[in-house]
Amino acid sequence: MYFNKNLLWVKVLSWRCALGCCCMHTNMAEPMELLCWGGDWDLPSVHSDSLIVLAYAKFSGAKLAVKSIDWTWRTITASVPQLHYEGSTVTEPAQILNFLRKQAEMKLYIQLYLLSATKSKMTPTCQKKIKTRITELEKGSPPCRFNADYELTAKQGADTMAYIALLEEKLRPALLHTFWVDAENYVNLTRPWFTSHSPFPLNFFVPGRQASLALSRILLTKAESPLLNITEVEGKIYSEAKECLNLLSHRLGNFHFFFGDTPTSLDAFVFGHIAPLIKAPLPSGQLQKHLNQLDNLCQFCNTILKNYFTDASAEKRMDCSLTAPHDPVDANLQKLTQLVNKESNLIEKMDDNLRSSPQHRHETKPSARASERNSPLLSKH
Amino acid sequence: MERYSLICEMSVVHVMSLSTAAAEPWPEKATLYQPLKEDQILLSDSASSLAVQTFLRMCGLPVQVSCCANAEYMSPSGKVPFIHVGNQVVSELGPIVQFIKAKGHSLSDGLDDVQRAEMKAYMELVNNMLLTAELYIQWCDDYTATEISRPRYSSPYSWPLNHILAYQKQWEVQRKMNAIGWSGKSLEQVYEDVSQCCQALSQRLGTQPYFFNKQPTELDALVFGHLFTILTTQLTNDELAEKVKSYTNLLSFCHRIEHTYFKEHDRESQSGSPLKRQ
């Protein structure tokens, strides 16, 4: 009785999830919509924060409908990047990444629960724990944190937070200065670009407003007293930024990504910050010159662009998904098992169920309808 | 690798050229200046000052602590604390660490490049989250600002200067919060950020005695300064201290450093330390 009642609940939940949840359907459900600045210089977006979100969406496989705000009134009204989903709005890259992570986690938990529903070997306590977690995620509590990223260990999650703080404190002021305050770059590159991508009459206001915001941010955070002006602060912020780039380069070493072979949120943040600096054709870029000397960071940026942001790579991934549908699914199932291991210690019981699942999923059973409806969830790759 | 070493060499030459005057030995009369301890100093300044004092004790360098009402204005960068060594005046932990390194004392020499990168990153995490949260709670929370921060900050001055200075300082801090995007946060969110930061520190510390195993570094000094001050300062409510107390390894970390480096302080103020009640 308990089993059937829960099965019904999960069917409803997965149906709702399949309708509303972003990542699976391209034809049915309302996808998540991301507002961001448009792209140029070989980049999907010229705006650092937008790049962070776009990169993370690619890494996690979330399907976003990207809407650029260029040539709309949103260039002055919206704070980009902005994610719209089912009537709610999320801003700030950190919040958006949390949201995407939560959606991905919820989807995986639902898959796990549905799989568990087809296998009567799973204990009710385990099912109950999974159900509680799904409900928590649905309600939006507890808040997801970087150090709850299920791909990373606790220490790696803590490291992520620390490095992101380093980027924000040391690198961002210099980036703002390079693009918005340095006279040569601003007049020759940044202002023309943003002016040409804003509608009349906003093109008179948008670049100037961004520039003054950037300047005030630098002065308020880095200029130690009202007596210092921007030229005295410049030397300090550029030397700190160069040090920060050196530190990132040391940390990355010879690896493809910061935590092994798969990209994580930290990779998205670093990519978002350094990609514009590498790719923009800056007339005067001392920081750009410094960054170009750090080969591994340039390589890191180019790898991500090549693997995640070109159409060729997208086609390649689609082909792979047709021929080998089980491989990405198994990777998800491995993540699921790690998740459950964290929440409860029933990994030994779960293992057998999950390993044998691809074959069992296609068998006709009373829950076959659930699994059929569930299959778009699994075939997101 | 060659390029990295070239870049590192360039930065070392830069540091050395700045501090050739700092090659003198550590004098006996080195002084650390901070605002008045009993009446004036606020949570964030007290935390920074304690971090510097801890760092100097870890290096084994004696320093006298001198409390002045106008310490903030004497400081070359407008921030406290600052140290007066010989004829050099250096403020804030970052420059002080570099200055002391030029004098030949360093706690982080034994770290390799990756560890040094981590250490700097965690120090920025503390500055970015903990220090900013402290400033927010002191100056952007109306109740705390009215009850504690403004009266304390302006206590050495007479009317009307006390009001002017207090409001000016509050306005400055609020502008800064606005610029970095913290003005839209609620107090609950700020407490949550503090909790996240403490969780990250706790996870990094694990069961080790110090953040980089056996040897304390400037990161340990900074973390101790902030956490100890949060635990021992009476604010309008205890929520901030409670957030820190929920991480037991951080508590024992503070306890350990207090016992190792502040033994005389312990003997003098036996009754005062809340850590003893744990």
Side-chain angles (χ1 to χ4, degrees), chain B:
Chain B
M1 265 317 284
E2 288 156 355
R3 280 211 180 122
Y4 307 150
S5 58
L6 178 66
I7 293 165
C8 295
E9 266 173 56
M10 283 162 55
S11 53
V12 164
V13 164
H14 177 69
V15 166
M16 288 303 288
S17 64
L18 281 182
S19 44
T20 40
E24 310 141 0
W26 190 260
E28 293 213 358
K29 272 208 231 167
T31 328
L32 180 140
Y33 289 91
Q34 67 173 30
L36 300 173
K37 199 165 178 184
E38 292 304 318
D39 302 318
Q40 191 192 16
I41 198 168
L42 293 172
L43 176 60
S44 50
D45 295 333
S46 180
S48 310
S49 175
L50 185 59
V52 172
Q53 287 176 47
T54 314
F55 178 71
L56 291 172
R57 281 185 194 231
M58 284 174 177
C59 293
L61 299 169
V63 70
Q64 283 173 337
V65 177
S66 167
C67 298
C68 302
N70 59 344
E72 201 178 356
Y73 300 107
M74 286 201 281
S75 160
S77 69
K79 298 236 173 95
V80 287
F82 66 94
I83 56 173
H84 180 204
V85 177
N87 50 3
Q88 304 268 328
V89 180
V90 193
S91 66
E92 290 189 83
L93 185 65
I96 289 177
V97 168
Q98 280 193 322
F99 175 73
I100 287 179
K101 187 167 180 175
K103 282 204 177 286
H105 304 270
S106 172
L107 293 179
S108 54
D109 275 341
L111 302 178
D112 63 28
D113 288 330
V114 175
Q115 284 177 319
R116 193 166 290 123
E118 258 190 62
M119 181 185 77
K120 295 242 157 99
Y122 275 95
M123 283 176 76
E124 285 313 316
L125 178 68
V126 172
N127 280 333
N128 203 5
M129 286 227 162
L130 276 186
L131 182 61
T132 317
E134 286 165 9
L135 282 173
Y136 182 94
I137 292 169
Q138 279 168 208
W139 293 106
C140 298
D141 174 34
D142 280 329
Y143 186 55
T144 314
T146 318
E147 293 292 314
I148 297 179
S149 314
R150 283 202 299 263
R152 280 185 73 94
Y153 183 77
S154 56
S155 56
Y157 309 108
S158 59
W159 190 91
L161 191 58
N162 54 356
H163 287 305
I164 297 172
L165 289 178
Y167 279 104
Q168 184 186 49
K169 177 77 178 178
Q170 185 172 17
W171 183 70
E172 260 177 49
V173 174
Q174 282 176 343
R175 268 183 75 198
K176 183 177 167 181
M177 293 294 141
N178 215 2
I180 57 176
W182 275 59
S183 56
K185 291 199 182 188
S186 68
L187 204 55
E188 294 310 317
Q189 283 174 313
V190 171
Y191 286 137
E192 182 57 37
D193 282 342
V194 169
S195 191
Q196 271 196 41
C197 181
C198 291
Q199 185 177 21
L201 290 171
S202 172
Q203 281 166 346
R204 177 64 182 83
L205 182 64
T207 50
Q208 297 170 329
Y210 300 109
F211 278 93
F212 290 96
N213 212 2
K214 300 284 187 318
Q215 291 297 111
T217 55
E218 45 263 35
L219 175 62
D220 302 280
L222 182 65
V223 172
F224 172 73
H226 280 275
L227 294 183
F228 187 81
T229 318
I230 289 176
L231 289 168
T232 53
T233 305
Q234 192 65 29
L235 287 175
T236 51
N237 60 16
D238 281 335
E239 213 170 318
L240 195 59
E242 290 303 318
K243 295 280 177 197
V244 177
K245 277 185 196 165
S246 58
Y247 298 98
T248 46
N249 63 344
L250 292 179
L251 275 182
S252 56
F253 169 79
C254 289
H255 217 160
R256 191 179 314 123
I257 293 197
E258 193 198 355
H259 271 244
T260 317
Y261 295 102
F262 288 90
K263 283 200 187 92
E264 296 134 21
H265 178 84
D266 255 346
R267 271 188 236 119
E268 281 166 21
S269 55
Q270 288 270 337
S271 55
S273 172
L275 291 181
K276 288 200 159 70
R277 284 190 231 122
Q278 299 296 327

Side-chain angles (χ1 to χ4, degrees), chain A residues 33-172:
Chain A
E33 195 182 69
L34 180 72
L35 292 177
C36 61
W37 280 102
D40 201 353
W41 319 320
D42 289 339
L43 294 172
S45 171
V46 302
H47 186 225
S48 271
D49 287 345
S50 312
L51 269 179
I52 293 171
V53 177
L54 288 169
Y56 188 77
K58 293 281 180 188
F59 296 159
S60 61
K63 292 267 188 314
L64 294 180
V66 177
K67 217 165 150 186
S68 103
I69 60 169
D70 297 4
W71 302 293
T72 67
W73 284 89
R74 286 195 175 123
T75 44
I76 208 153
T77 52
S79 72
V80 239
Q82 234 180 62
L83 189 73
H84 291 294
Y85 175 61
E86 279 186 352
S88 65
T89 305
V90 191
T91 55
E92 301 274 318
Q95 309 288 344
I96 297 177
L97 256 59
N98 273 344
F99 182 83
L100 290 175
R101 193 179 300 114
K102 210 161 64 168
Q103 291 288 324
E105 200 183 330
M106 190 151 91
K107 196 176 58 144
L108 288 174
Y109 263 113
I110 289 175
Q111 286 174 27
L112 177 62
Y113 194 88
L114 284 167
L115 282 172
S116 74
T118 66
K119 311 290 296 175
S120 53
K121 286 180 200 165
M122 182 158 319
T123 62
T125 32
C126 190
Q127 283 185 326
K128 200 174 164 193
K129 282 191 182 173
I130 298 172
K131 188 178 169 184
T132 322
R133 181 70 184 145
I134 295 176
T135 326
E136 269 177 6
L137 284 170
E138 247 205 325
K139 281 197 196 131
S141 67
C144 278
R145 307 170 176 183
F146 289 120
N147 38 10
D149 200 344
Y150 52 76
E151 296 147 356
L152 303 176
T153 64
K155 182 178 173 300
Q156 285 172 333
D159 281 352
T160 303
M161 278 185 73
Y163 278 104
I164 289 173
L166 184 72
L167 281 172
E168 288 292 321
E169 281 282 320
K170 302 270 183 179
L171 191 57
R172 191 174 277 269

